Amino acid sequence: DTGSAAATPIDPRFDIAYVTPVTIGTPPQTLQLDLDTGSSDLWVFSSHTPASQVRGQQIYSPDKSTTSKLLDGHTWSIRYGDGSGSRGNVYTDNFAIGGIMVETQAVETAEEVSSSFTTEDNIDGLVGLGFSTLNTVSPEGQLTFFDNAKPKLDAPVFTADLKYMKEGTYDFGFIDESKYTGEITYVPVDTDPGYWTFTSSGYGVGSGTFSSSPITGIADTGTSLVYLPTAIVTAYYRQVEGATNSRSYGGYVFPCNSTLPPFVFGIGEAKFTIPPSYMSYAAVTDGSPTCFGGLQSSSGIGINIWGDVALKAAFVVFNGEEPPTIGWANK
Ligand SMILES: CSC[C@H](NC(=O)[C@H](Cc1ccccc1)NC(=O)N1CCOCC1)C(=O)N[C@@H](CC1CCCCC1)[C@@H](O)C(=O)OC(C)C
């Protein structure tokens, strides 16, 4: 099998997250979920989510599906890097993305979601595409959609073609040569503890010299920005007129009319350029002349994260062969 599905930005002003239509159950219930390579739980707003915590999201009702089965005695609870979280119980049901159907996918139904999920009415839940070792279901961990779908895919891969302020695609089971230029550079993935962890070969600021130094981090479709070591981040903002590290805004900000250099990162011998437009993420509040940077420091997080700001500058192959690798191509 092969399949494709849209990755649509949830906000027309800036790329905070992307959602993809999925179908669950019989007859199919359609929800818009955030495919997240930084986690490994597939969870949804559901008929079990208190009405006070649901504000416009689509919900999955297992009782309306003839193929749903409660996974008795199983629960889940997850906390994300931004402090948001959710918990609940577990069903298995038919689940499809882009026509790829998994008959007994563990679908985690939310009995509680944190306030940032309630207020984000464009996200009906997440599809974790990290490694199944990170799944939080207890007493038995469950497999991700990708692990369940892999045996029926033409190739054990999925690709991300995220785009700046427009609709991109996730492909499953094949590599669409029309989506990239040149060669795909593959590098090893460390699956411990369960992220798509790889090592970049270095970085450059604008047309400045390229610093060949290994940067180990995760490829995370569920994170909006890029978070790298402070030394790299300060080297970048040193080139931005009026940039400061703002405590009140929680990161580097600068006048929106400042000229930003592009940010270059290396994958093996290949180079990828994040254009200035991606590096100026958004005005700190609507209409403000102060803008928030797409590159921020990872010192408060503990890991380096290549989030959407970097991913949308490339065509990325998540290769689930043994051993897994990650491929990057220009587009
Ligand atoms: C520094 S890591 C923080 C990261 N979150 C983010 O990047 C959130 C995503 C979001 C989308 C829509 C609405 C609200 C929030 N954005 C965020 O914190 N922003 C603040 C800075 O400006 C950009 C937007 C994160 O927690 N990612 C999660 C998935 C994410 C999906 C959307 C809902 C909230 C959870 C996951 O990838 C994760 O935990 O990764 C770990 C490994 C860091």
Side-chain angles (χ1 to χ4, degrees):
D1 288 5
T2 62
S4 290
T8 305
I10 61 168
D11 191 310
R13 298 165 298 172
F14 36 76
D15 297 332
I16 188 167
Y18 299 83
V19 287
T20 296
V22 310
T23 57
I24 316 176
T26 313
Q29 301 176 40
T30 299
L31 276 71
Q32 304 292 329
L33 304 186
D34 185 348
L35 271 54
D36 174 27
T37 56
S39 67
S40 304
D41 281 52
L42 193 173
W43 72 265
V44 291
F45 275 78
S46 74
S47 47
H48 294 268
T49 314
S52 61
Q53 297 180 19
V54 183
R55 203 161 305 155
Q57 291 83 4
Q58 301 295 311
I59 65 168
Y60 162 60
S61 302
D63 303 350
K64 292 184 183 155
S65 168
T66 56
T67 41
S68 69
K69 266 201 287 302
L70 177 69
L71 205 53
D72 201 9
H74 286 68
T75 58
W76 61 281
S77 175
I78 195 162
R79 181 71 57 196
Y80 295 103
D82 58 20
S84 62
S86 47
R87 64 169 185 77
N89 33 47
V90 189
Y91 288 78
T92 57
D93 207 341
N94 295 353
F95 182 89
I97 305 180
I100 309 278
M101 169 67 77
V102 168
E103 272 75 32
T104 54
Q105 174 64 46
V107 178
E108 301 169 31
T109 48
E111 288 197 298
E112 182 174 27
V113 301
S114 63
S115 57
S116 65
F117 281 116
T118 297
T119 51
E120 188 47 73
D121 57 351
N122 295 303
I123 295 179
D124 304 333
L126 268 66
V127 181
L129 293 175
F131 293 90
S132 293
T133 44
L134 287 179
N135 182 266
T136 74
V137 174
S138 167
E140 289 119 23
Q142 302 299 305
L143 295 180
T144 65
F145 166 76
F146 181 50
D147 274 351
N148 282 324
K150 230 186 265 186
K152 50 174 48 173
L153 295 178
D154 288 13
V157 303
F158 66 92
T159 67
D161 180 20
L162 300 180
K163 296 189 179 200
Y164 174 65
M165 299 183 72
K166 62 181 185 236
E167 180 184 303
T169 29
Y170 285 105
D171 292 338
F172 290 88
F174 74 111
I175 292 173
D176 183 344
E177 314 238 323
S178 73
K179 292 201 168 94
Y180 65 91
T181 59
E183 298 299 312
I184 301 173
T185 301
Y186 289 92
V187 292
V189 162
D190 174 2
T191 60
D192 178 16
Y195 306 118
W196 290 85
T197 306
F198 69 96
T199 297
S200 158
S201 48
Y203 76 98
V205 178
S207 52
T209 53
F210 183 82
S211 167
S212 294
S213 58
I215 310 163
T216 297
I218 70 169
D220 187 358
T221 56
T223 287
S224 318
L225 308 184
V226 176
Y227 296 89
L228 294 177
T230 304
I232 295 177
V233 176
T234 50
Y236 179 79
Y237 288 109
R238 222 192 331 271
Q239 306 299 327
V240 178
E241 188 79 31
T244 60
N245 188 3
S246 158
R247 209 173 312 289
S248 56
Y249 291 121
Y252 282 86
V253 298
F254 44 82
C256 295
N257 58 16
S258 294
T259 305
L260 289 174
F263 182 80
V264 179
F265 61 97
I267 303 286
E269 301 297 306
K271 299 276 190 302
F272 295 84
T273 299
I274 305 177
S277 55
Y278 301 11
M279 296 302 288
S280 175
Y281 176 68
V284 291
T285 46
D286 272 358
S288 164
T290 304
C291 275
F292 197 74
L295 171 63
Q296 297 295 340
S297 170
S298 62
S299 58
I301 305 170
I303 46 171
N304 298 316
I305 305 177
W306 303 90
D308 299 335
V309 161
L311 297 170
K312 59 190 156 182
F315 174 80
V316 186
V317 182
F318 294 85
N319 171 28
E321 283 173 324
E322 203 40 61
T325 61
I326 186 167
W328 295 72
N330 277 291
K331 60 188 183 190

